[in-house]
Amino acid sequence: MTKAVVAGVAMLPFGRHRESTLSDLGAEVVLGALSDAGLGWPDVQLMYCGVVGVSMTPGTGISAQLGQTGLPVINIDNASASGSSAFREGSLAVASGRVDVAVAVGVGKLNQSFGGGSVRPSSPEAREGNIRRMQGVMPPVGYFAMQTRRRMHDFGSTIEQFALVSVKNHKHASHNPFAQLQNELTVEEVVNARMIADPLTVPHCCPMGDGAAAAVVVSDEKARQLGAPPITVDASAFRTGSYENGSPSEAKTTHLTAQEAYTQAGLGPDDIDLVQIHDAFTVEEIEYCEQLGFCDVGEGERMVENGDTSIGGRIPFSTDGGLLARGHPLGPTGLAQVWETVQQLRGLSGPRQVAGARVGLVHMVGVGGVCLVHILKHS
Amino acid sequence: MTPNNGAPIPLVEGVFRIADGRPVLLVSRCSFCDRRFFPPRERCAACSSDDMRTEDASQNGELYTWTVVRELGGQREGFVPYVIGQIDLAGGPRVTGVVTCDPDAPTIGMPVRLCLVPQGHDNDGTELVGYGFEPADGTR
């Protein structure tokens, strides 16, 4: 087995790209990542494309645009974790020795709705829709709002403590020209913003939008030829949910997946220099901070309050602004995390650089209980 | 004569039945590991056994957590705000549902009971109902 090396990355600013198709967006970042690696499209032997909920296959559209070299292209829909899944599969294909050069790309455009079913139609899908309708239409924010409220009950945490996650992420994003929201916020502004689902106001929730990101993964031999900085994929762990009292639990799944990743890499939480997580809602950073092993359960709020998860703190989280401020166009989000981690490990992150960063952990969850944890290391 | 003698019928069959004007949720109990699930399912989510028995859940429970959804986006303006929660039924399991109370009223641990919630009409005019929860002490 060779080690997979991330030789090139690229992303587009997240936000609005209404004028481009998904394939247009993807083609641009694939070329960008290849250029970053010193490679061209004909060098690519395999491509995975992460994308959510579209009927056509934008990955194949990218190859049609860039040149029909006949390479295999696989589209992956794994909810929020689509881009992370593409990255994993590209890395594993290289590590297995099957290919020397693989591309993982993720694309997304805003097109989301959360609705109920129509009245008593006959298909099994419609029946499931009607069960959800009786359960009450549950947008993701409703689910995480309930989680936040329960945590406030269990640990006596305050909404201001959750707001600090958003404040911190916006501050990080203010140094990231690729972030969707680059404005700084105060705790008061977060708490007093428009209520979406009690107790969560708008800045407790990530923005949706358009975007694309890509990574080129190569064998270590190819990386040496290219003179690429040796940023290796030291762990790629992937689990789906385990059953727990009514639904899969992101917290438990995150814990189990992280343990698997630490074992693969031969590392522990103390060895990690920076972390990117699925922080679509503020409560998530606090819970994953605990589940990834950086503090005990019930101490996540204090980590944020102490500035431990800020740049300059003990273990910086979401150095690019995270989903809350960098944005979350679904398909590319996991690859934007890889982009940020690689730039940090290369020491190219300018005012948001984590000093001496050598090891980065990347975490992503997706609807349905999907969880991925990657560990990237500057060897 | 109106269909079904004018009585409302469940929006979805096989999920709950109506007894004395209130819903009784149908849960699946795994014969192998004894866990209970709602909505009913043919295979255990925990141990994969397909030996599942359907039984009635308690009509009473308490609120484990809740939120008020105030925005949904898109075309559902008239739908919000509504209270939604997770309810620990007496004897289990934990279920999700709308709580038909004032948005200022819910508290964690509040006793609730099942109630019928209108879900429109079928093509032949039959009234359709789903299940929801109301405060068990009768306050709104």
Side-chain angles (χ1 to χ4, degrees), chain A residues 112-121 126-139 141-143 145-154 194-200 202 241-247, chain B residues 9-16 35-39 41 45-46 63-72 75-76 79 82 84-86 88 93-94 96-98 103 108-109 119-123 128-132:
Chain A
Q112 278 292 103
S113 66
F114 301 99
S118 56
V119 176
R120 284 178 65 81
R127 182 176 188 276
E128 285 189 355
N130 271 338
I131 292 175
R132 283 197 296 275
R133 174 167 146 175
M134 290 193 297
Q135 289 173 323
V137 177
M138 178 70 86
V141 62
Y143 176 74
M146 293 198 299
Q147 208 166 305
T148 305
R149 177 159 323 268
R150 184 68 205 189
R151 196 168 164 103
M152 291 166 77
H153 177 84
D154 288 342
R194 201 171 79 243
M195 190 67 79
I196 301 290
D198 307 26
L200 301 184
V202 172
S242 309
Y243 183 80
E244 193 172 337
N245 205 6
S247 61
Chain B
I9 61 170
L11 175 66
V12 182
E13 285 160 25
V15 173
F16 69 92
R35 288 187 178 84
R36 306 217 289 169
F37 301 92
F38 179 82
R41 45 184 300 143
L63 200 53
Y64 173 76
T65 186
W66 58 276
T67 185
V68 186
V69 177
R70 296 184 188 273
E71 286 188 21
L72 275 175
Q75 64 283 51
R76 297 186 151 260
F79 207 68
Y82 57 95
I84 188 166
Q86 289 181 311
D88 282 331
R94 182 174 296 161
T96 302
V98 168
I108 287 176
Q119 290 283 0
H121 292 83
D122 211 346
N123 294 333
L128 300 169
V129 286
Y131 72 88

Side-chain angles (χ1 to χ4, degrees), chain B:
Chain B
M1 196 173 97
T2 55
N4 201 38
N5 298 317
I9 61 170
L11 175 66
V12 182
E13 285 160 25
V15 173
F16 69 92
R17 62 187 179 83
I18 301 171
D20 301 328
R22 289 168 63 197
V24 178
L25 301 187
L26 305 176
V27 302
S28 299
R29 180 191 287 274
C30 175
S31 303
F32 195 76
C33 73
D34 211 40
R35 288 187 178 84
R36 306 217 289 169
F37 301 92
F38 179 82
R41 45 184 300 143
E42 291 177 5
R43 196 174 276 276
C44 177
C47 77
S48 279
S49 162
D50 62 359
D51 188 359
M52 306 292 280
R53 286 168 295 152
T54 302
E55 52 187 50
D56 292 350
S58 169
Q59 288 178 306
N60 298 292
E62 58 179 52
L63 200 53
Y64 173 76
T65 186
W66 58 276
T67 185
V68 186
V69 177
R70 296 184 188 273
E71 286 188 21
L72 275 175
Q75 64 283 51
R76 297 186 151 260
E77 292 304 316
F79 207 68
V80 291
Y82 57 95
V83 180
I84 188 166
Q86 289 181 311
I87 291 90
D88 282 331
L89 295 175
R94 182 174 296 161
V95 301
T96 302
V98 168
V99 186
T100 60
C101 67
D102 188 278
D104 296 328
T107 53
I108 287 176
M110 177 174 89
V112 293
R113 64 180 179 197
L114 268 299
C115 65
L116 293 173
V117 175
Q119 290 283 0
H121 292 83
D122 211 346
N123 294 333
D124 62 6
T126 310
E127 187 189 352
L128 300 169
V129 286
Y131 72 88
F133 295 87
E134 62 186 12
D137 60 6
T139 58
R140 289 275 169 153

Side-chain angles (χ1 to χ4, degrees), chain A residues 234-235 258-273 358-361 375-377:
Chain A
D234 278 34
Q259 291 306 314
E260 210 169 296
Y262 289 138
T263 303
Q264 282 180 24
L267 299 171
D270 289 346
D271 301 308
I272 307 297
D273 298 317
R358 306 294 290 180
V359 184
L361 183 147
I375 295 177
L376 305 186
K377 189 163 110 188

Side-chain angles (χ1 to χ4, degrees), chain A residues 282-297:
Chain A
T282 48
V283 64
E284 292 188 88
E285 169 167 320
I286 286 166
E287 297 215 321
Y288 301 147
C289 188
E290 298 165 351
Q291 299 300 332
L292 294 171
F294 297 109
C295 64
D296 290 336
V297 171

Side-chain angles (χ1 to χ4, degrees), chain A residues 135-210:
Chain A
Q135 289 173 323
V137 177
M138 178 70 86
V141 62
Y143 176 74
F144 285 100
M146 293 198 299
Q147 208 166 305
T148 305
R149 177 159 323 268
R150 184 68 205 189
R151 196 168 164 103
M152 291 166 77
H153 177 84
D154 288 342
F155 298 110
S157 25
T158 64
I159 195 61
E160 284 78 11
Q161 289 175 312
F162 295 95
L164 280 170
V165 176
S166 184
V167 170
K168 181 263 294 176
N169 278 23
H170 275 76
K171 187 171 169 60
H172 290 178
S174 72
H175 299 298
N176 180 7
F178 291 88
Q180 186 164 345
L181 304 175
Q182 297 175 30
N183 59 309
E184 290 203 46
L185 284 173
T186 64
V187 169
E188 292 69 33
E189 284 171 323
V190 175
V191 172
N192 295 325
R194 201 171 79 243
M195 190 67 79
I196 301 290
D198 307 26
L200 301 184
T201 55
V202 172
H204 283 281
C205 315
C206 67
M208 308 286 285
D210 315 326

Side-chain angles (χ1 to χ4, degrees), chain A:
Chain A
M1 289 263 288
T2 173
K3 265 204 172 164
V5 177
V6 189
V9 288
M11 70 179 284
L12 288 171
F14 284 2
R16 287 183 78 79
H17 295 283
R18 300 277 85 170
E19 68 291 350
S20 309
T21 66
L22 285 171
S23 297
D24 293 339
L25 298 175
E28 192 172 342
V29 293
V30 168
L31 287 180
L34 286 168
S35 161
D36 188 37
L39 292 165
W41 174 249
D43 299 315
V44 180
Q45 295 161 313
L46 173 65
M47 182 165 73
Y48 285 94
C49 178
V51 62
V52 176
V54 295
S55 56
M56 290 306 283
T57 52
T60 327
I62 294 169
S63 63
Q65 281 196 28
L66 296 181
Q68 293 182 305
T69 61
L71 86 170
V73 177
I74 298 132
N75 296 274
I76 299 180
D77 187 339
N78 229 345
S80 293
S82 300
S84 309
S85 301
F87 180 71
R88 169 185 164 85
E89 294 308 318
S91 301
L92 293 184
V94 169
S96 74
R98 270 194 293 146
V99 297
D100 294 319
V101 178
V103 163
V105 59
V107 292
K109 287 185 74 176
L110 186 56
N111 179 27
Q112 278 292 103
S113 66
F114 301 99
S118 56
V119 176
R120 284 178 65 81
S122 54
S123 74
E125 289 81 5
R127 182 176 188 276
E128 285 189 355
N130 271 338
I131 292 175
R132 283 197 296 275
R133 174 167 146 175
M134 290 193 297
Q135 289 173 323
V137 177
M138 178 70 86
V141 62
Y143 176 74
F144 285 100
M146 293 198 299
Q147 208 166 305
T148 305
R149 177 159 323 268
R150 184 68 205 189
R151 196 168 164 103
M152 291 166 77
H153 177 84
D154 288 342
F155 298 110
S157 25
T158 64
I159 195 61
E160 284 78 11
Q161 289 175 312
F162 295 95
L164 280 170
V165 176
S166 184
V167 170
K168 181 263 294 176
N169 278 23
H170 275 76
K171 187 171 169 60
H172 290 178
S174 72
H175 299 298
N176 180 7
F178 291 88
Q180 186 164 345
L181 304 175
Q182 297 175 30
N183 59 309
E184 290 203 46
L185 284 173
T186 64
V187 169
E188 292 69 33
E189 284 171 323
V190 175
V191 172
N192 295 325
R194 201 171 79 243
M195 190 67 79
I196 301 290
D198 307 26
L200 301 184
T201 55
V202 172
H204 283 281
C205 315
C206 67
M208 308 286 285
D210 315 326
V216 178
V217 184
V218 304
S219 62
D220 46 11
E221 190 186 331
K222 190 80 181 175
R224 276 193 298 275
Q225 287 169 20
L226 293 168
I231 294 171
T232 51
V233 183
D234 278 34
S236 175
F238 187 166
R239 292 184 65 91
T240 51
S242 309
Y243 183 80
E244 193 172 337
N245 205 6
S247 61
S249 147
E250 293 78 19
K252 183 178 177 187
T253 311
T254 291
H255 175 75
L256 294 173
T257 312
Q259 291 306 314
E260 210 169 296
Y262 289 138
T263 303
Q264 282 180 24
L267 299 171
D270 289 346
D271 301 308
I272 307 297
D273 298 317
L274 76 157
V275 177
Q276 315 301 324
I277 53 157
H278 178 280
D279 46 9
F281 302 96
T282 48
V283 64
E284 292 188 88
E285 169 167 320
I286 286 166
E287 297 215 321
Y288 301 147
C289 188
E290 298 165 351
Q291 299 300 332
L292 294 171
F294 297 109
C295 64
D296 290 336
V297 171
E299 290 181 353
E301 286 85 349
R302 215 165 52 212
M303 289 285 287
V304 180
E305 233 167 16
N306 290 346
D308 290 337
T309 59
S310 297
I311 293 170
R314 180 159 77 80
I315 177 71
F317 269 54
S318 300
T319 49
D320 62 351
L323 278 61
L324 287 164
R326 176 248 293 130
H328 184 30
L330 301 175
T333 305
L335 284 156
Q337 294 178 316
V338 170
W339 179 89
E340 170 66 7
T341 304
V342 167
Q343 298 295 63
Q344 288 277 356
L345 298 183
R346 287 174 175 176
L348 298 177
S349 296
R352 65 177 196 285
Q353 180 66 43
V354 175
R358 306 294 290 180
V359 184
L361 183 147
V362 185
H363 160 270
M364 181 55 65
V365 297
V367 169
V370 179
C371 182
L372 290 98
V373 173
H374 286 97
I375 295 177
L376 305 186
K377 189 163 110 188
H378 195 304
S379 299

